[in-house]
Protein backbone atom coordinates (compact mmCIF):
# COMPACT_ATOMS: atom_id res chain seq x y z
CA UNK A 1 0.00 0.00 0.00
CA UNK A 2 0.99 3.50 -0.75
CA UNK A 3 1.20 5.98 1.93
CA UNK A 4 -1.02 9.02 1.67
CA UNK A 5 -0.39 12.31 3.25
CA UNK A 6 -2.84 14.00 5.57
CA UNK A 7 -3.58 16.58 2.90
CA UNK A 8 -4.40 13.81 0.48
CA UNK A 9 -6.67 12.24 3.06
CA UNK A 10 -8.35 15.65 3.73
CA UNK A 11 -8.80 16.20 0.02
CA UNK A 12 -10.33 12.70 -0.30
CA UNK A 13 -12.54 13.43 2.65
CA UNK A 14 -14.21 16.28 0.86
CA UNK A 15 -14.91 14.00 -2.11
CA UNK A 16 -16.09 11.21 0.21
CA UNK A 17 -18.27 13.68 2.19
CA UNK A 18 -19.66 15.11 -1.03
CA UNK A 19 -20.40 11.54 -2.31
CA UNK A 20 -21.95 10.59 1.04
CA UNK A 21 -24.09 13.74 1.01
CA UNK A 22 -25.22 13.01 -2.55
CA UNK A 23 -25.96 9.39 -1.62
CA UNK A 24 -27.83 10.55 1.50
CA UNK A 25 -29.79 13.08 -0.55
CA UNK A 26 -30.67 10.38 -3.11
CA UNK A 27 -31.54 8.02 -0.25
CA UNK A 28 -33.83 10.67 1.31
CA UNK A 29 -35.55 11.31 -2.03
CA UNK A 30 -36.07 7.60 -2.57
CA UNK A 31 -37.19 7.22 1.05
CA UNK A 32 -39.72 10.05 0.60
CA UNK A 33 -40.96 8.42 -2.62
CA UNK A 34 -41.20 5.03 -0.92
CA UNK A 35 -42.92 6.68 2.05
CA UNK A 36 -45.49 8.27 -0.33
CA UNK A 37 -46.00 4.87 -2.00
CA UNK A 38 -46.32 3.22 1.39
CA UNK A 39 -48.88 5.79 2.60
CA UNK A 40 -50.80 5.42 -0.67
CA UNK A 41 -50.70 1.62 -0.36
CA UNK A 42 -51.80 1.87 3.28
CA UNK A 43 -54.70 4.15 2.22
CA UNK A 44 -55.66 1.74 -0.56
CA UNK A 45 -55.39 -1.16 1.91
CA UNK A 46 -57.75 0.68 4.29
CA UNK A 47 -60.11 1.43 1.40
CA UNK A 48 -59.99 -2.23 0.39
CA UNK A 49 -60.63 -3.29 3.99
CA UNK A 50 -63.62 -0.95 4.15
CA UNK A 51 -64.82 -2.24 0.80
CA UNK A 52 -64.29 -5.81 1.99
CA UNK A 53 -66.31 -5.12 5.16
CA UNK A 54 -69.06 -3.46 3.13
CA UNK A 55 -69.15 -6.36 0.68
CA UNK A 56 -69.20 -8.85 3.55
CA UNK A 57 -72.16 -6.99 5.10
CA UNK A 58 -73.95 -6.98 1.73
CA UNK A 59 -73.23 -10.67 1.26
CA UNK A 60 -74.52 -11.44 4.75
CA UNK A 61 -77.61 -9.31 4.13
CA UNK A 62 -78.27 -11.00 0.78
CA UNK A 63 -77.64 -14.40 2.34
CA UNK A 64 -80.15 -13.56 5.06
CA UNK A 65 -82.68 -12.46 2.43
CA UNK A 66 -82.11 -15.65 0.45
CA UNK A 67 -82.48 -17.75 3.57
CA UNK A 68 -85.74 -15.96 4.42
CA UNK A 69 -86.93 -16.53 0.85
CA UNK A 70 -86.00 -20.22 1.08
CA UNK A 71 -87.80 -20.49 4.43
CA UNK A 72 -90.89 -18.82 2.92
CA UNK A 73 -90.73 -21.17 -0.08
CA UNK A 74 -90.54 -24.16 2.27
CA UNK A 75 -93.55 -22.86 4.23
CA UNK A 76 -95.44 -22.20 1.00
CA UNK A 77 -94.55 -25.70 -0.19
CA UNK A 78 -95.93 -27.19 3.03
CA UNK A 79 -99.06 -25.04 2.73
CA UNK A 80 -99.45 -26.17 -0.88
CA UNK A 81 -99.14 -29.83 0.14
CA UNK A 82 -101.82 -29.28 2.81
CA UNK A 83 -104.06 -27.53 0.28
CA UNK A 84 -103.55 -30.37 -2.22
CA UNK A 85 -104.42 -32.90 0.47
CA UNK A 86 -107.54 -30.90 1.38
CA UNK A 87 -108.48 -30.70 -2.30
CA UNK A 88 -108.09 -34.46 -2.67
CA UNK A 89 -110.28 -35.00 0.40
CA UNK A 90 -112.89 -32.60 -0.96
CA UNK A 91 -112.81 -34.37 -4.32
CA UNK A 92 -113.33 -37.72 -2.57
CA UNK A 93 -116.21 -36.26 -0.56
CA UNK A 94 -117.68 -34.75 -3.73
CA UNK A 95 -117.41 -38.13 -5.47
CA UNK A 96 -119.13 -39.84 -2.54
CA UNK A 97 -121.85 -37.16 -2.49
CA UNK A 98 -122.37 -37.54 -6.24
CA UNK A 99 -122.74 -41.30 -5.80
CA UNK A 100 -125.20 -40.71 -2.96
CA UNK A 101 -127.14 -38.27 -5.19
CA UNK A 102 -127.27 -40.84 -7.97
CA UNK A 103 -128.49 -43.48 -5.53
CA UNK A 104 -131.11 -41.07 -4.16
CA UNK A 105 -132.24 -40.24 -7.71
CA UNK A 106 -132.65 -43.95 -8.41
CA UNK A 107 -134.60 -44.37 -5.16
CA UNK A 108 -136.77 -41.36 -6.04
CA UNK A 109 -137.48 -42.87 -9.47
CA UNK A 110 -138.36 -46.20 -7.84
CA UNK A 111 -140.58 -44.47 -5.28
CA UNK A 112 -142.28 -42.41 -8.01
CA UNK A 113 -143.05 -45.58 -9.92
CA UNK A 114 -144.36 -47.23 -6.76
CA UNK A 115 -146.41 -44.12 -5.96
CA UNK A 116 -147.90 -44.09 -9.45
CA UNK A 117 -148.64 -47.77 -9.15
CA UNK A 118 -150.25 -47.25 -5.74
CA UNK A 119 -152.29 -44.31 -7.04
CA UNK A 120 -153.45 -46.35 -10.00
CA UNK A 121 -154.19 -49.34 -7.74
CA UNK A 122 -155.92 -47.10 -5.18
CA UNK A 123 -157.93 -45.33 -7.87
CA UNK A 124 -158.78 -48.70 -9.42
CA UNK A 125 -159.90 -50.07 -6.03
CA UNK A 126 -162.06 -47.01 -5.38
CA UNK A 127 -163.50 -47.17 -8.87
CA UNK A 128 -164.37 -50.80 -8.28
CA UNK A 129 -166.03 -49.90 -4.99
CA UNK A 130 -167.97 -47.04 -6.61
CA UNK A 131 -169.06 -49.38 -9.40
CA UNK A 132 -170.16 -51.87 -6.76
CA UNK A 133 -172.06 -49.08 -5.01
CA UNK A 134 -173.56 -48.04 -8.35
CA UNK A 135 -174.71 -51.56 -9.07
CA UNK A 136 -176.15 -52.03 -5.58
CA UNK A 137 -177.87 -48.62 -5.44
CA UNK A 138 -178.71 -48.45 -9.13
CA UNK A 139 -177.08 -45.01 -9.24
CA UNK A 140 -176.41 -43.58 -12.66
CA UNK A 141 -173.34 -41.48 -13.40
CA UNK A 142 -173.08 -39.46 -16.57
CA UNK A 143 -169.53 -38.36 -17.47
CA UNK A 144 -170.28 -36.80 -20.84
CA UNK A 145 -171.66 -33.56 -19.46
CA UNK A 146 -169.65 -30.51 -18.52
CA UNK A 147 -170.35 -31.13 -14.84
CA UNK A 148 -170.62 -34.06 -12.50
CA UNK A 149 -173.67 -33.72 -10.26
CA UNK A 150 -175.80 -35.97 -8.18
CA UNK A 151 -176.98 -36.90 -4.71
CA UNK A 152 -175.43 -39.39 -2.35
CA UNK A 153 -178.18 -41.29 -0.57
CA UNK A 154 -177.39 -40.74 3.07
CA UNK A 155 -179.19 -39.34 6.02
CA UNK A 156 -179.64 -36.50 5.08
CA UNK A 157 -178.98 -36.90 1.33
CA UNK A 158 -175.92 -35.00 0.17
CA UNK A 159 -175.75 -33.38 -3.24
CA UNK A 160 -172.48 -33.08 -5.12
CA UNK A 161 -171.33 -30.87 -7.96
CA UNK A 162 -167.89 -31.09 -9.63
CA UNK A 163 -166.42 -29.48 -12.75
CA UNK A 164 -164.17 -31.95 -14.65
CA UNK A 165 -162.33 -28.99 -16.22
CA UNK A 166 -161.09 -27.93 -12.79
CA UNK A 167 -160.45 -31.38 -11.25
CA UNK A 168 -158.88 -34.61 -12.40
CA UNK A 169 -160.84 -37.84 -12.55
CA UNK A 170 -158.78 -39.07 -9.63
CA UNK A 171 -159.77 -36.06 -7.48
CA UNK A 172 -163.45 -36.47 -8.40
CA UNK A 173 -163.29 -40.16 -7.50
CA UNK A 174 -161.65 -39.33 -4.17
CA UNK A 175 -164.33 -36.74 -3.30
CA UNK A 176 -167.16 -39.05 -4.32
CA UNK A 177 -165.67 -41.83 -2.23
CA UNK A 178 -165.37 -39.48 0.77
CA UNK A 179 -169.09 -38.61 0.38
CA UNK A 180 -170.08 -42.29 0.14
CA UNK A 181 -167.99 -43.39 3.12
CA UNK A 182 -169.39 -40.62 5.35
CA UNK A 183 -172.92 -42.02 5.28
Amino acid sequence: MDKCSADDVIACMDIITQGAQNALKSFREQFDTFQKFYLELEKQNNDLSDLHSSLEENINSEHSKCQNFIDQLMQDSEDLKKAESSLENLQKIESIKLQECEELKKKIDILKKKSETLEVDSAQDKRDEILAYKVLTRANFVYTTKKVTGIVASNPPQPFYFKPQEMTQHEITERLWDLIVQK
Side-chain angles (χ1 to χ4, degrees):
M1 268 202 165
D2 293 328
K3 292 194 176 183
C4 302
S5 69
D7 287 333
D8 286 339
V9 171
I10 291 176
C12 280
M13 283 301 268
D14 285 337
I15 294 173
I16 292 173
T17 303
Q18 185 67 31
Q21 284 177 345
N22 286 341
L24 185 60
K25 181 180 176 185
S26 174
F27 176 76
R28 280 191 181 157
E29 287 174 358
Q30 287 180 356
F31 181 79
D32 288 342
T33 302
F34 284 129
Q35 189 175 18
K36 286 178 186 176
F37 284 139
Y38 177 78
L39 291 174
E40 183 63 32
L41 285 175
E42 189 175 34
K43 182 180 180 267
Q44 288 177 357
N45 184 37
N46 289 338
D47 290 345
L48 286 174
S49 292
D50 291 344
L51 182 61
H52 181 265
S53 296
S54 176
L55 285 174
E56 202 168 285
E57 287 176 13
N58 286 343
I59 288 171
N60 288 337
S61 174
E62 291 299 317
H63 181 267
S64 177
K65 287 178 186 177
C66 287
Q67 188 61 44
N68 289 340
F69 183 72
I70 289 170
D71 292 343
Q72 185 62 45
L73 281 177
M74 296 300 282
Q75 182 64 40
D76 290 348
S77 175
E78 289 175 19
D79 291 345
L80 182 61
K81 286 177 184 176
K82 288 177 185 176
E84 286 174 344
S85 176
S86 293
L87 178 63
E88 287 174 4
N89 289 338
L90 288 174
Q91 287 173 336
K92 288 177 185 176
I93 290 171
E94 180 186 22
S95 174
I96 291 169
K97 294 295 181 188
L98 286 173
Q99 287 176 349
E100 289 175 357
C101 283
E102 289 299 318
E103 290 173 11
L104 288 174
K105 285 179 183 177
K106 289 177 184 177
K107 287 180 181 178
I108 287 172
D109 289 342
I110 291 169
L111 289 174
K112 278 183 182 177
K113 288 178 183 176
K114 282 184 180 179
S115 173
E116 290 170 359
T117 303
L118 288 176
E119 285 178 7
V120 169
D121 290 346
S122 175
Q124 185 64 40
D125 290 345
K126 287 182 183 176
R127 185 183 302 165
D128 290 345
E129 290 176 9
I130 290 173
L131 284 175
Y133 177 79
K134 180 180 171 186
V135 169
L136 291 174
T137 62
R138 293 187 186 154
N140 191 12
F141 298 104
V142 178
Y143 290 99
T144 58
T145 63
K146 292 186 180 184
K147 56 187 173 180
V148 178
T149 62
I151 298 175
V152 174
S154 61
N155 196 3
Q158 296 201 3
F160 58 87
Y161 177 81
F162 303 114
K163 292 184 180 178
Q165 300 85 356
E166 297 174 2
M167 301 173 72
T168 65
Q169 285 186 0
H170 179 73
E171 291 173 332
I172 293 172
T173 305
E174 286 285 327
R175 295 260 181 96
L176 283 173
W177 181 246
D178 289 341
L179 288 172
I180 293 170
V181 172
Q182 287 178 0
K183 58 175 200 168

